[in-house]
Amino acid sequence: MRTLRDIAALREALDDHRRRDQRIALVPTMGNLHDGHLALVAAARRQAEVVVATIFVNPLQFGPNEDLAAYPRTLAEDQAKLEAAGCDLLFAPDSAALYPHGLDHQTQVRVPQVSEGLCGGARPGHFDGVATVVAMLFNLVQPHLACFGEKDYQQLAVIRKMVADLHFPLEIVGVPIVRAEDGLALSSRNGYLSDAERQVAPALYRTLSRARDALEAGEAPEPVLSEANEALRQSGFAPDYLELRARDLGPVTATTREAVLLAAARLGPARLIDNLTLTLPT
Ligand code: PAF
């Protein structure tokens, strides 16, 4: 696997694959890779001849009081994992390569509606930063497909809408959440948890699972959600949101059947997110 740091080298390497008519898959990441990321690489590997991963801790998607400086950077370990997973090319630019004129004057992509509320409500500007860097990576790599994890459900919805609205000629592949044995969704931010907090963390998945079962059994959403919120608080979480939405993130109406339950909650220094899809009874 080759690691490339600059745009010219990336373009040159990809031109070579394109000349050979090879199908290219992109796996954008912020590094500190775990088995959830490696599932993205495996999905990409199944569907393309060339797998390009990117590692870039994108400053544009972090708020002023968020964990940009603390975000774990583990390039050597990540390179070894990507190589073992069958990745062909790693693009790992620095901020000056992608944003040579700084962040303040950067052209940005804003995806309306679907970026609002949920994580977009708690993290203003976050999805503009995500959409901007992902659009940039799509332009640089021009992949046939790109893989994203379903853990970041709203992010995936934002990217799907951006691709549709801007007519990017590529397929977006959503890859199911990878969980630890105790149910906790894998995330780089789990590394912020102390041993005691790590013991508590799976309560997020258990609480969502109980709420999903109750909703699928026909219980009224409002009491189910407020009970789940209270259960999270009792376990030691500070919930940011816990919401039931239609799968397209629109509001649930009397006719909605395919829904998703989404939550973000702080536990100690970590902000954890998770979601479960469900089918509401008629
Ligand atoms: O999901 C992530 O790791 C990031 O938001 C992404 C998609 C790589 C954009 O920086």
Side-chain angles (χ1 to χ4, degrees), residues 27-31 37 40 54-59 61-62 71 99 123 126-127 129-131 133-134 137 147-149 151-152 155 159 188-189:
V27 180
T29 81
M30 298 205 301
H37 296 111
L40 304 180
T54 66
I55 293 182
F56 179 62
V57 182
N58 174 32
Q61 70 187 73
F62 286 78
Y71 200 85
Y99 303 121
R123 306 182 68 189
H126 169 67
F127 287 118
V130 170
V133 81
V134 170
L137 294 172
C147 300
F148 294 89
K151 178 173 73 68
D152 296 275
Q155 169 172 282
I159 290 165
S188 301
R189 291 188 166 100

